[in-house]
Amino acid sequence: HVQLVESGGGSVQVGGSLKLSCTHATYIFRERENCAMGWYRQAPGKERELVATMKPDGTTTYIDPVKGRFIISHDNAKNTLYLQMNNLKTEDTAVYTCAAGRKLLACVWNYWGQGTQVTVS
């Protein structure tokens, strides 16, 4: 049973920083069947969007609004995914959710955390 557990959310002022963590003790990122991890966010009244992703080979992607401000990283020894968020803006306010992918015919987001609230004001 795969569990993803997020932490690190909270309230911060505009321009501040937060670092989100997602521990995943039973999901081994470098296993052949596992293809990517990422962070989604959903703001009130808006669609959920995939903010950043990371593949086991270290390849990362970001949506344009967070490029240069957010950094996704992974610590294999700790089985933890991170999202360092700098220079936060009010539009970054959302529930952030960690996701992990399983390789089927394509990479499918199969596992989800419970979400952590980030509020920027």
Side-chain angles (χ1 to χ4, degrees):
H1 177 62
V2 174
Q3 274 192 308
L4 308 180
V5 181
E6 299 104 335
S7 61
S11 297
V12 65
Q13 291 187 331
V14 170
S17 297
L18 281 175
K19 187 172 185 177
L20 306 182
S21 300
C22 172
T23 58
H24 51 91
T26 57
Y27 176 90
I28 307 304
F29 194 25
R30 290 178 179 269
E31 274 187 355
R32 180 188 296 185
E33 297 80 13
N34 300 327
C35 46
M37 296 194 74
W39 290 95
Y40 277 83
R41 71 182 180 186
Q42 187 165 23
K46 293 190 176 181
E47 301 251 332
R48 185 177 63 186
E49 58 182 353
L50 180 56
V51 175
T53 68
M54 188 172 197
K55 293 182 179 180
D57 65 1
T59 305
T60 59
T61 66
Y62 301 91
I63 55 172
D64 285 345
V66 308
K67 282 181 181 176
R69 300 189 297 121
F70 289 13
I71 301 171
I72 188 171
S73 63
H74 188 267
D75 187 325
N76 292 328
K78 295 183 178 179
N79 281 336
T80 301
L81 181 75
Y82 300 100
L83 186 68
Q84 176 68 47
M85 304 185 294
N86 301 318
N87 190 21
L88 283 161
K89 304 177 180 181
T90 55
E91 52 263 43
D92 296 318
T93 295
V95 175
Y96 285 73
T97 304
C98 173
R102 194 81 170 171
K103 193 182 300 180
L104 303 174
L105 292 179
C107 190
V108 176
W109 296 110
N110 231 27
Y111 309 109
W112 299 86
Q114 79 285 358
T116 186
Q117 177 70 46
V118 171
T119 303
V120 185
S121 60

